Coordinates of all heavy atoms in Angstrom, one line a residue:
M213 N 107.6 86.0 106.1 CA 108.0 87.2 106.7 C 107.2 88.4 106.0 O 106.7 89.3 106.6 CB 109.5 87.4 106.5 CG 110.0 88.7 107.1 SD 111.7 89.2 106.7 CE 112.6 87.8 107.4
C214 N 107.2 88.3 104.7 CA 106.5 89.4 103.9 C 105.1 89.5 104.3 O 104.6 90.6 104.6 CB 106.7 89.1 102.4 SG 105.8 90.2 101.3
L215 N 104.3 88.5 104.4 CA 102.9 88.5 104.7 C 102.7 89.0 106.1 O 101.7 89.8 106.3 CB 102.3 87.1 104.5 CG 102.1 86.7 103.1 CD1 101.6 85.2 103.0 CD2 101.2 87.6 102.3
G216 N 103.6 88.7 107.0 CA 103.4 89.2 108.4 C 103.6 90.7 108.4 O 102.8 91.4 109.1
V217 N 104.6 91.2 107.7 CA 104.8 92.7 107.6 C 103.6 93.4 107.0 O 103.1 94.4 107.4 CB 106.1 93.0 106.9 CG1 106.3 94.5 106.6 CG2 107.3 92.5 107.7
L218 N 103.1 92.8 105.9 CA 102.0 93.4 105.2 C 100.7 93.4 106.0 O 99.9 94.4 105.9 CB 101.8 92.7 103.8 CG 102.9 92.8 102.8 CD1 102.6 92.0 101.6 CD2 103.2 94.2 102.5
G219 N 100.6 92.4 106.8 CA 99.4 92.4 107.7 C 99.4 93.5 108.7 O 98.4 94.0 109.1
Q220 N 100.6 93.9 109.1 CA 100.7 95.0 110.1 C 100.7 96.4 109.4 O 100.3 97.4 110.0 CB 102.0 94.9 110.9 CG 102.0 93.6 111.8 CD 103.3 93.4 112.5 OE1 104.2 94.3 112.3 NE2 103.4 92.3 113.2
S221 N 101.2 96.5 108.2 CA 101.3 97.8 107.5 C 101.2 97.6 106.0 O 102.1 97.2 105.3 CB 102.7 98.4 107.8 OG 102.8 99.6 107.1
P222 N 100.0 97.9 105.5 CA 99.8 97.8 104.0 C 100.8 98.6 103.2 O 101.1 98.2 102.1 CB 98.3 98.2 103.8 CG 97.7 98.0 105.1 CD 98.7 98.2 106.2
D223 N 101.2 99.7 103.8 CA 102.2 100.6 103.1 C 103.5 99.8 102.8 O 104.2 100.2 101.9 CB 102.5 101.8 103.9 CG 101.2 102.7 104.0 OD1 100.4 102.7 103.1 OD2 101.1 103.4 105.1
A224 N 103.8 98.8 103.6 CA 105.0 98.0 103.4 C 105.0 97.2 102.1 O 106.1 96.7 101.7 CB 105.2 97.1 104.6
A225 N 103.9 97.2 101.4 CA 103.9 96.5 100.2 C 104.8 97.2 99.2 O 105.4 96.5 98.3 CB 102.4 96.4 99.6
I226 N 104.9 98.5 99.3 CA 105.7 99.2 98.3 C 107.2 98.8 98.4 O 107.8 98.4 97.4 CB 105.6 100.7 98.5 CG1 104.1 101.1 98.1 CG2 106.6 101.5 97.7 CD1 103.7 102.5 98.5
P227 N 107.9 98.8 99.6 CA 109.3 98.4 99.6 C 109.4 96.9 99.3 O 110.4 96.5 98.7 CB 109.7 98.7 101.0 CG 108.5 98.9 101.8 CD 107.4 99.4 100.9
W228 N 108.5 96.1 99.7 CA 108.6 94.6 99.4 C 108.5 94.4 97.9 O 109.3 93.6 97.3 CB 107.5 93.8 100.1 CG 108.0 93.4 101.5 CD1 107.7 94.1 102.7 CD2 108.8 92.3 101.8 NE1 108.3 93.4 103.7 CE2 108.9 92.3 103.2 CE3 109.4 91.3 101.1 CZ2 109.7 91.4 103.9 CZ3 110.1 90.3 101.8 CH2 110.3 90.4 103.2
W229 N 107.6 95.1 97.2 CA 107.5 94.9 95.8 C 108.8 95.5 95.1 O 109.3 94.9 94.1 CB 106.2 95.6 95.3 CG 105.6 94.9 94.1 CD1 105.1 93.7 94.0 CD2 105.4 95.5 92.8 NE1 104.6 93.4 92.8 CE2 104.7 94.5 92.0 CE3 105.6 96.8 92.3 CZ2 104.3 94.8 90.7 CZ3 105.2 97.0 90.9 CH2 104.6 96.0 90.2
L230 N 109.3 96.6 95.6 CA 110.5 97.1 95.0 C 111.7 96.2 95.2 O 112.5 95.9 94.3 CB 110.8 98.5 95.6 CG 110.0 99.7 95.1 CD1 110.2 100.9 96.1 CD2 110.3 100.0 93.7
M231 N 111.8 95.6 96.4 CA 112.9 94.7 96.7 C 112.8 93.5 95.8 O 113.8 93.0 95.2 CB 113.0 94.3 98.1 CG 113.4 95.4 99.1 SD 113.7 94.9 100.8 CE 112.0 94.4 101.3
A232 N 111.6 92.9 95.7 CA 111.4 91.7 94.9 C 111.7 92.0 93.4 O 112.4 91.1 92.8 CB 110.0 91.2 95.1
S233 N 111.3 93.1 93.0 CA 111.6 93.5 91.6 C 113.0 93.7 91.3 O 113.6 93.2 90.3 CB 110.8 94.8 91.2 OG 109.4 94.6 91.3
Y234 N 113.7 94.4 92.2 CA 115.1 94.6 92.0 C 115.9 93.3 91.9 O 116.7 93.1 91.0 CB 115.7 95.5 93.2 CG 117.2 95.6 93.2 CD1 117.9 96.3 92.2 CD2 117.9 94.9 94.2 CE1 119.3 96.4 92.3 CE2 119.3 95.0 94.2 CZ 119.9 95.7 93.3 OH 121.3 95.8 93.3
L235 N 115.6 92.4 92.9 CA 116.3 91.1 92.9 C 116.0 90.3 91.7 O 116.9 89.7 91.1 CB 116.0 90.4 94.2 CG 116.5 91.0 95.4 CD1 115.9 90.3 96.7 CD2 118.1 90.8 95.5
Y236 N 114.8 90.3 91.3 CA 114.3 89.4 90.1 C 114.9 89.9 88.8 O 115.5 89.2 88.0 CB 112.8 89.3 90.1 CG 112.3 88.4 89.0 CD1 112.3 87.0 89.2 CD2 111.8 88.9 87.8 CE1 111.8 86.2 88.3 CE2 111.4 88.0 86.8 CZ 111.3 86.7 87.1 OH 110.9 85.8 86.1
Y237 N 114.7 91.2 88.5 CA 115.1 91.8 87.2 C 116.6 92.1 87.1 O 117.1 92.1 86.0 CB 114.3 93.0 86.9 CG 112.8 92.7 86.8 CD1 111.9 93.2 87.6 CD2 112.4 91.8 85.8 CE1 110.5 92.9 87.4 CE2 111.1 91.5 85.6 CZ 110.1 92.1 86.5 OH 108.8 91.8 86.3
H238 N 117.3 92.2 88.2 CA 118.7 92.6 88.1 C 119.7 91.7 88.7 O 120.9 91.8 88.6 CB 118.9 94.0 88.8 CG 118.0 95.1 88.1 ND1 118.3 95.5 86.8 CD2 116.9 95.6 88.4 CE1 117.4 96.4 86.4 NE2 116.5 96.5 87.4
H239 N 119.2 90.6 89.4 CA 120.0 89.6 90.0 C 119.5 88.2 89.8 O 120.1 87.2 90.3 CB 120.2 89.8 91.5 CG 121.0 91.1 91.8 ND1 122.4 91.2 91.6 CD2 120.6 92.3 92.2 CE1 122.8 92.4 91.9 NE2 121.7 93.1 92.2
D240 N 118.4 88.0 89.1 CA 117.8 86.7 88.8 C 117.6 85.9 90.0 O 117.8 84.7 90.1 CB 118.7 86.0 87.8 CG 118.0 84.8 87.1 OD1 116.8 84.9 86.9 OD2 118.7 83.8 86.7
V241 N 117.1 86.6 91.1 CA 116.8 85.9 92.3 C 115.3 86.2 92.7 O 114.9 87.3 92.6 CB 117.7 86.5 93.5 CG1 117.2 85.9 94.8 CG2 119.1 86.1 93.2
S242 N 114.6 85.2 93.0 CA 113.1 85.3 93.4 C 113.0 85.4 94.9 O 113.1 84.4 95.6 CB 112.3 84.1 92.8 OG 112.3 84.2 91.4
L243 N 112.7 86.6 95.4 CA 112.5 86.8 96.8 C 111.1 86.3 97.2 O 110.9 85.8 98.2 CB 112.7 88.3 97.1 CG 112.4 88.7 98.6 CD1 113.5 88.0 99.5 CD2 112.5 90.2 98.7
L244 N 110.1 86.5 96.3 CA 108.7 86.2 96.5 C 108.3 85.2 95.3 O 108.9 85.3 94.2 CB 107.8 87.4 96.4 CG 108.2 88.6 97.3 CD1 107.3 89.8 97.0 CD2 108.1 88.1 98.8
S245 N 107.3 84.4 95.6 CA 106.8 83.6 94.6 C 106.1 84.5 93.6 O 105.7 85.6 93.9 CB 105.8 82.5 95.2 OG 104.6 83.2 95.6
D246 N 105.9 84.0 92.3 CA 105.2 84.7 91.3 C 103.8 85.1 91.8 O 103.3 86.2 91.6 CB 105.1 84.0 90.0 CG 106.4 83.9 89.3 OD1 107.4 84.6 89.7 OD2 106.6 83.1 88.4
G247 N 103.1 84.1 92.5 CA 101.8 84.3 93.0 C 101.7 85.4 94.0 O 100.8 86.3 94.0
L248 N 102.6 85.4 94.9 CA 102.7 86.5 96.0 C 103.0 87.8 95.4 O 102.4 88.8 95.7 CB 103.6 86.1 97.1 CG 103.7 87.1 98.3 CD1 102.4 87.3 98.9 CD2 104.7 86.5 99.3
Y249 N 103.9 87.9 94.4 CA 104.3 89.1 93.8 C 103.0 89.7 93.1 O 102.7 90.9 93.2 CB 105.4 88.8 92.8 CG 105.9 90.0 92.1 CD1 107.0 90.8 92.6 CD2 105.5 90.4 90.8 CE1 107.5 91.9 92.0 CE2 106.0 91.5 90.2 CZ 107.0 92.3 90.7 OH 107.5 93.4 90.1
D250 N 102.3 88.8 92.4 CA 101.1 89.3 91.7 C 100.0 89.7 92.7 O 99.3 90.7 92.4 CB 100.5 88.2 90.8 CG 101.5 87.9 89.6 OD1 102.3 88.8 89.3 OD2 101.3 86.8 89.0
M251 N 99.9 89.0 93.8 CA 98.9 89.3 94.8 C 99.2 90.7 95.4 O 98.3 91.5 95.6 CB 98.9 88.2 95.9 CG 97.8 88.5 96.9 SD 97.9 87.2 98.3 CE 99.2 88.0 99.3
I252 N 100.4 91.0 95.6 CA 100.8 92.3 96.2 C 100.5 93.4 95.2 O 100.0 94.4 95.6 CB 102.3 92.3 96.6 CG1 102.5 91.3 97.8 CG2 102.8 93.7 97.0 CD1 104.0 91.1 98.2
A253 N 100.8 93.1 93.9 CA 100.5 94.2 92.9 C 99.0 94.5 92.9 O 98.6 95.6 92.9 CB 101.0 93.7 91.5
K254 N 98.2 93.4 92.9 CA 96.7 93.6 92.9 C 96.2 94.3 94.1 O 95.4 95.2 94.1 CB 96.0 92.3 92.7 CG 96.2 91.7 91.3 CD 95.5 90.3 91.2 CE 95.9 89.7 89.9 NZ 95.4 88.3 89.8
A255 N 96.8 94.0 95.3 CA 96.4 94.6 96.5 C 96.8 96.1 96.6 O 96.0 97.0 97.0 CB 97.0 93.9 97.7
M256 N 98.0 96.4 96.0 CA 98.4 97.8 96.0 C 97.5 98.6 95.0 O 97.2 99.7 95.3 CB 99.9 97.9 95.6 CG 100.9 97.5 96.6 SD 102.6 98.0 96.3 CE 102.9 97.1 94.8
L257 N 97.2 98.0 93.9 CA 96.3 98.7 92.9 C 95.0 99.1 93.5 O 94.5 100.2 93.4 CB 96.1 97.8 91.7 CG 95.4 98.4 90.5 CD1 96.0 99.7 90.0 CD2 95.2 97.4 89.4
E258 N 94.4 98.1 94.3 CA 93.1 98.4 94.9 C 93.2 99.5 96.0 O 92.3 100.3 96.2 CB 92.6 97.1 95.6 CG 92.1 96.1 94.6 CD 91.7 94.8 95.2 OE1 91.6 94.7 96.4 OE2 91.5 93.8 94.4
A259 N 94.4 99.6 96.7 CA 94.5 100.5 97.8 C 95.4 101.7 97.5 O 95.8 102.5 98.3 CB 95.1 99.8 99.0
W260 N 95.8 101.8 96.2 CA 96.8 102.8 95.8 C 96.6 104.2 96.3 O 97.5 104.8 96.8 CB 96.9 102.8 94.2 CG 98.1 103.5 93.7 CD1 98.2 104.6 93.0 CD2 99.5 103.1 94.0 NE1 99.5 105.0 92.7 CE2 100.3 104.1 93.3 CE3 100.1 102.1 94.7 CZ2 101.7 104.0 93.3 CZ3 101.4 102.0 94.7 CH2 102.2 103.0 94.1
P261 N 95.4 104.8 96.3 CA 95.2 106.2 96.8 C 95.5 106.3 98.3 O 96.0 107.4 98.7 CB 93.8 106.5 96.5 CG 93.3 105.6 95.4 CD 94.2 104.3 95.7
E262 N 95.4 105.3 99.0 CA 95.6 105.3 100.5 C 97.0 105.0 100.9 O 97.5 105.3 102.0 CB 94.7 104.4 101.2 CG 93.2 104.8 101.2 CD 92.5 104.3 99.9 OE1 92.9 103.2 99.4 OE2 91.7 105.1 99.3
L263 N 97.8 104.4 100.0 CA 99.1 103.9 100.4 C 100.1 105.1 100.4 O 100.0 106.0 99.6 CB 99.7 102.9 99.4 CG 99.0 101.6 99.3 CD1 99.6 100.7 98.3 CD2 99.0 100.9 100.7
E264 N 101.0 105.1 101.4 CA 102.0 106.1 101.6 C 103.4 105.5 101.8 O 103.5 104.6 102.6 CB 101.7 107.0 102.7 CG 100.4 107.8 102.6 CD 100.1 108.7 103.7 OE1 101.0 109.0 104.5 OE2 98.9 109.2 103.8
H265 N 104.3 106.0 101.1 CA 105.7 105.5 101.3 C 106.6 106.5 100.5 O 106.2 107.0 99.4 CB 105.9 104.1 100.8 CG 107.2 103.5 101.1 ND1 108.4 103.7 100.4 CD2 107.6 102.8 102.2 CE1 109.4 103.1 101.0 NE2 108.9 102.5 102.1
D266 N 107.8 106.7 101.0 CA 108.8 107.6 100.3 C 109.1 107.2 98.9 O 109.5 108.0 98.1 CB 110.1 107.6 101.1 CG 110.0 108.3 102.4 OD1 109.0 109.0 102.6 OD2 110.9 108.2 103.2
H267 N 109.0 105.9 98.6 CA 109.3 105.4 97.2 C 108.1 105.1 96.4 O 108.3 104.5 95.3 CB 110.3 104.2 97.3 CG 111.5 104.5 98.1 ND1 112.0 103.7 99.1 CD2 112.3 105.6 98.0 CE1 113.1 104.3 99.6 NE2 113.3 105.4 99.0
K268 N 107.0 105.5 96.8 CA 105.7 105.2 96.0 C 105.9 105.8 94.6 O 105.3 105.2 93.6 CB 104.5 105.8 96.7 CG 103.2 105.6 96.0 CD 102.0 106.2 96.8 CE 100.7 105.9 96.0 NZ 99.6 106.5 96.8
H269 N 106.5 106.9 94.4 CA 106.7 107.6 93.1 C 107.4 106.7 92.1 O 107.3 107.0 90.9 CB 107.4 108.9 93.2 CG 108.8 108.7 93.6 ND1 109.2 108.5 94.9 CD2 110.0 108.7 92.9 CE1 110.5 108.4 95.0 NE2 111.0 108.5 93.8
L270 N 108.1 105.7 92.5 CA 108.8 104.8 91.6 C 107.9 103.8 90.9 O 108.2 103.2 89.9 CB 109.9 104.0 92.3 CG 111.0 104.9 92.9 CD1 111.9 104.0 93.8 CD2 111.8 105.5 91.8
I271 N 106.7 103.6 91.4 CA 105.7 102.7 90.9 C 104.5 103.4 90.3 O 104.0 104.4 91.0 CB 105.2 101.7 92.1 CG1 106.4 101.0 92.7 CG2 104.2 100.7 91.5 CD1 106.0 100.2 94.0
T272 N 104.1 103.0 89.2 CA 102.9 103.6 88.6 C 101.7 102.7 88.6 O 101.9 101.4 88.8 CB 103.2 104.0 87.1 OG1 103.3 102.9 86.3 CG2 104.4 104.9 87.0
V273 N 100.5 103.2 88.4 CA 99.3 102.4 88.3 C 99.5 101.4 87.1 O 99.1 100.2 87.2 CB 98.1 103.2 88.2 CG1 96.9 102.4 87.8 CG2 97.8 104.0 89.5
D274 N 100.1 101.9 86.0 CA 100.3 101.0 84.9 C 101.2 99.8 85.2 O 101.0 98.7 84.8 CB 100.9 101.8 83.7 CG 99.8 102.7 83.0 OD1 98.6 102.4 83.2 OD2 100.2 103.6 82.4
D275 N 102.3 100.1 86.1 CA 103.1 99.0 86.5 C 102.3 98.0 87.3 O 102.5 96.8 87.1 CB 104.2 99.5 87.5 CG 105.2 100.5 86.8 OD1 105.5 100.3 85.6 OD2 105.7 101.4 87.5
L276 N 101.5 98.4 88.2 CA 100.7 97.5 89.0 C 99.7 96.7 88.1 O 99.5 95.5 88.3 CB 99.9 98.3 90.0 CG 100.8 99.0 91.1 CD1 99.9 99.8 92.0 CD2 101.6 98.0 91.9
K277 N 99.1 97.4 87.1 CA 98.2 96.7 86.2 C 98.9 95.6 85.4 O 98.4 94.5 85.1 CB 97.5 97.6 85.3 CG 96.5 98.5 86.0 CD 95.8 99.5 85.0 CE 94.8 100.3 85.7 NZ 94.2 101.4 84.7
A278 N 100.2 95.9 85.0 CA 101.0 95.0 84.2 C 101.6 93.9 85.1 O 102.0 92.9 84.6 CB 102.1 95.8 83.4
G279 N 101.7 94.2 86.4 CA 102.3 93.3 87.3 C 103.8 93.2 87.2 O 104.4 92.1 87.4
T280 N 104.5 94.3 86.9 CA 105.9 94.3 86.6 C 106.6 95.6 86.9 O 105.9 96.7 86.7 CB 106.2 93.8 85.2 OG1 107.7 93.8 85.0 CG2 105.6 94.7 84.2
L281 N 107.8 95.6 87.3 CA 108.6 96.8 87.3 C 109.9 96.7 86.4 O 110.9 97.2 86.7 CB 109.1 97.1 88.8 CG 108.2 97.9 89.6 CD1 108.8 98.1 91.0 CD2 107.9 99.2 89.0
Y282 N 109.7 95.9 85.4 CA 110.8 95.7 84.4 C 111.4 96.9 83.9 O 112.6 97.0 83.6 CB 110.2 94.8 83.3 CG 111.3 94.4 82.3 CD1 112.3 93.5 82.6 CD2 111.3 95.1 81.0 CE1 113.2 93.2 81.6 CE2 112.3 94.8 80.1 CZ 113.3 93.8 80.4 OH 114.2 93.5 79.5
R283 N 110.6 98.0 83.8 CA 111.0 99.3 83.2 C 112.1 100.0 84.0 O 112.8 100.8 83.5 CB 109.9 100.2 82.9 CG 109.2 100.7 84.2 CD 108.1 101.8 84.0 NE 107.6 102.2 85.3 CZ 108.2 103.1 86.1 NH1 109.3 103.7 85.7 NH2 107.6 103.4 87.2
L284 N 112.2 99.7 85.3 CA 113.2 100.3 86.1 C 114.6 99.7 85.9 O 114.8 98.5 85.9 CB 112.9 100.2 87.6 CG 111.6 100.9 88.1 CD1 111.5 100.7 89.6 CD2 111.6 102.4 87.8
T285 N 115.6 100.6 85.8 CA 117.0 100.1 85.8 C 117.5 99.9 87.2 O 116.9 100.4 88.2 CB 117.9 101.2 85.0 OG1 118.0 102.3 85.9 CG2 117.3 101.5 83.7
A286 N 118.6 99.3 87.3 CA 119.2 99.1 88.7 C 119.4 100.4 89.4 O 119.3 100.5 90.6 CB 120.4 98.2 88.6
K287 N 119.8 101.4 88.6 CA 120.1 102.7 89.1 C 118.9 103.4 89.6 O 119.0 104.4 90.4 CB 120.9 103.6 88.1 CG 122.3 103.1 87.9 CD 123.0 104.0 86.9 CE 124.4 103.5 86.7 NZ 125.1 104.4 85.7
D288 N 117.7 103.1 89.1 CA 116.5 103.7 89.5 C 116.1 103.4 91.0 O 115.3 104.1 91.6 CB 115.3 103.3 88.6 CG 115.5 103.9 87.2 OD1 116.0 105.0 87.1 OD2 115.0 103.2 86.3
Y289 N 116.5 102.2 91.5 CA 116.1 101.8 92.8 C 117.0 102.5 93.9 O 118.2 102.7 93.7 CB 116.4 100.3 93.0 CG 115.5 99.4 92.2 CD1 115.7 99.1 90.9 CD2 114.3 98.9 92.7 CE1 114.9 98.3 90.1 CE2 113.4 98.1 92.0 CZ 113.7 97.8 90.7 OH 112.9 97.1 89.9
P290 N 116.3 103.0 94.9 CA 117.1 103.7 96.0 C 118.1 102.7 96.6 O 117.9 101.5 96.7 CB 116.0 104.0 97.0 CG 114.7 103.9 96.3 CD 114.9 102.9 95.2
N291 N 119.2 103.3 97.1 CA 120.2 102.5 97.7 C 119.7 101.7 98.9 O 120.1 100.5 99.1 CB 121.4 103.3 98.1 CG 122.2 103.8 96.9 OD1 122.3 103.1 95.9 ND2 122.9 104.9 97.0
R292 N 118.9 102.3 99.7 CA 118.4 101.6 100.9 C 117.5 100.4 100.5 O 117.5 99.4 101.2 CB 117.7 102.5 101.9 CG 116.4 103.0 101.5 CD 115.9 103.9 102.6 NE 114.5 104.3 102.3 CZ 113.8 105.1 103.1 NH1 114.3 105.5 104.2 NH2 112.6 105.4 102.8
T293 N 116.8 100.5 99.4 CA 116.0 99.4 98.9 C 116.9 98.2 98.4 O 116.7 97.1 98.8 CB 115.1 99.8 97.7 OG1 114.2 100.8 98.1 CG2 114.4 98.6 97.1
K294 N 118.0 98.6 97.7 CA 118.9 97.6 97.2 C 119.6 96.9 98.4 O 119.8 95.7 98.4 CB 119.9 98.2 96.2 CG 119.3 98.6 94.9 CD 120.3 99.1 93.9 CE 120.6 100.5 94.1 NZ 121.5 101.1 93.0
A295 N 120.1 97.7 99.4 CA 120.8 97.2 100.5 C 119.9 96.2 101.3 O 120.3 95.2 101.8 CB 121.3 98.3 101.4
A296 N 118.6 96.6 101.5 CA 117.7 95.8 102.3 C 117.4 94.5 101.5 O 117.4 93.4 102.1 CB 116.4 96.5 102.5
A297 N 117.3 94.6 100.2 CA 117.0 93.4 99.4 C 118.2 92.4 99.5 O 118.0 91.2 99.7 CB 116.8 93.8 97.9
V298 N 119.4 92.9 99.3 CA 120.6 92.1 99.4 C 120.7 91.5 100.8 O 121.1 90.3 100.9 CB 121.9 93.0 99.0 CG1 123.1 92.2 99.4 CG2 121.8 93.3 97.5
G299 N 120.4 92.3 101.8 CA 120.5 91.7 103.2 C 119.5 90.6 103.4 O 119.8 89.6 104.1
L300 N 118.3 90.8 102.9 CA 117.3 89.7 103.1 C 117.7 88.4 102.4 O 117.6 87.3 102.9 CB 116.0 90.1 102.4 CG 115.0 91.0 103.3 CD1 113.9 91.5 102.5 CD2 114.5 90.1 104.5
V301 N 118.3 88.5 101.2 CA 118.7 87.4 100.5 C 119.9 86.7 101.2 O 120.0 85.5 101.3 CB 119.1 87.8 99.0 CG1 119.9 86.7 98.3 CG2 117.9 88.1 98.2
D302 N 120.8 87.5 101.7 CA 122.0 87.0 102.4 C 121.6 86.3 103.6 O 122.0 85.1 103.9 CB 123.0 88.1 102.7 CG 124.2 87.6 103.3 OD1 124.8 86.6 102.9 OD2 124.7 88.2 104.3
S303 N 120.7 86.9 104.5 CA 120.4 86.3 105.7 C 119.3 85.2 105.7 O 119.3 84.3 106.5 CB 119.9 87.4 106.7 OG 118.7 88.0 106.2
N304 N 118.5 85.2 104.6 CA 117.4 84.2 104.6 C 117.5 83.2 103.5 O 116.9 82.1 103.6 CB 116.0 84.9 104.4 CG 115.6 85.7 105.6 OD1 115.4 85.2 106.6 ND2 115.6 87.1 105.4
M305 N 118.4 83.4 102.5 CA 118.5 82.5 101.4 C 120.0 82.0 101.3 O 120.3 81.2 100.5 CB 118.1 83.1 100.1 CG 116.6 83.5 100.1 SD 116.1 84.4 98.6 CE 115.8 83.1 97.5
G306 N 120.9 82.6 102.0 CA 122.3 82.3 102.0 C 123.0 82.6 100.7 O 124.0 82.0 100.4
L307 N 122.4 83.6 99.9 CA 123.1 84.0 98.7 C 123.8 85.3 98.9 O 123.3 86.2 99.6 CB 122.0 84.2 97.6 CG 121.2 83.0 97.2 CD1 120.1 83.4 96.2 CD2 122.0 81.9 96.6
S308 N 124.9 85.4 98.3 CA 125.7 86.6 98.4 C 125.7 87.4 97.1 O 126.1 86.9 96.1 CB 127.2 86.2 98.7 OG 128.0 87.4 98.9
I309 N 125.0 88.5 97.2 CA 124.8 89.4 96.0 C 125.5 90.7 96.2 O 125.4 91.3 97.3 CB 123.3 89.6 95.7 CG1 122.6 88.3 95.4 CG2 123.1 90.6 94.6 CD1 121.1 88.5 95.3
K310 N 126.2 91.2 95.2 CA 126.9 92.5 95.3 C 126.0 93.5 94.5 O 125.4 93.1 93.5 CB 128.2 92.4 94.6 CG 129.2 91.4 95.3 CD 130.0 92.1 96.3 CE 131.0 91.0 96.7 NZ 131.5 91.2 98.0
Y311 N 125.9 94.7 95.0 CA 125.3 95.7 94.3 C 126.2 97.0 94.4 O 126.9 97.1 95.3 CB 123.9 96.0 94.8 CG 123.8 96.9 96.0 CD1 123.7 98.2 95.9 CD2 123.9 96.3 97.3 CE1 123.6 99.0 97.1 CE2 123.9 97.1 98.4 CZ 123.7 98.4 98.3 OH 123.7 99.2 99.4
I312 N 126.0 97.8 93.4 CA 126.8 99.0 93.3 C 125.9 100.2 93.6 O 124.9 100.4 92.9 CB 127.4 99.2 91.9 CG1 128.4 98.1 91.6 CG2 128.2 100.6 91.9 CD1 128.9 98.0 90.2
P313 N 126.1 100.9 94.7 CA 125.2 102.0 95.1 C 125.1 103.0 93.9 O 126.1 103.2 93.2 CB 125.9 102.6 96.3 CG 126.8 101.6 96.9 CD 127.2 100.7 95.7
S314 N 124.0 103.6 93.8 CA 123.8 104.6 92.7 C 124.5 105.9 93.1 O 124.7 106.3 94.2 CB 122.3 104.9 92.6 OG 121.6 103.7 92.2

């Protein structure tokens, strides 16, 4: 699903990376494989000046170079990002995760 969306809109890498990071670092759930997560970071780094998204400001070039968003707290993620991540996990992985809106 992720690759299909990214093929249509490179800007969609931003919310996918945010959702994957939120789930991994705050719920111990892997939405994406490590390889795909790293691939998205590298692709975003190469296209960074051209990418546009409301939540781009949450990611830095240093984050992309390091390949991690570990520095963000759960409260740093937008509620719609958290809700979308939880929805994806529930509908595609059958896991029930609770989150507390910021």
Side-chain angles (χ1 to χ4, degrees):
M213 180 190 301
C214 176
L215 290 175
V217 171
L218 295 178
Q220 294 175 4
S221 174
D223 297 327
I226 293 168
W228 274 95
W229 212 59
L230 286 168
M231 288 187 295
S233 297
Y234 170 71
L235 290 168
Y236 184 79
Y237 295 118
H238 301 288
H239 293 285
D240 199 28
V241 172
S242 294
L243 179 64
L244 306 174
S245 69
D246 289 346
L248 182 54
Y249 185 86
D250 293 342
M251 183 183 84
I252 291 171
K254 289 176 186 175
M256 283 194 299
L257 184 59
E258 290 174 11
W260 196 243
E262 293 83 36
L263 294 180
E264 294 182 16
H265 191 274
D266 290 345
H267 301 134
K268 182 178 176 178
H269 67 279
L270 296 171
I271 302 169
T272 68
V273 169
D274 288 338
D275 294 329
L276 296 173
K277 288 178 181 177
T280 180
L281 272 181
Y282 181 75
R283 68 175 179 81
L284 294 183
T285 69
K287 290 182 179 182
D288 292 329
Y289 291 86
N291 286 332
R292 71 180 187 178
T293 298
K294 293 187 275 190
V298 167
L300 275 171
V301 167
D302 183 46
S303 64
N304 293 295
M305 299 172 81
L307 299 174
S308 182
I309 296 175
K310 302 262 186 209
Y311 80 94
I312 299 170
S314 302

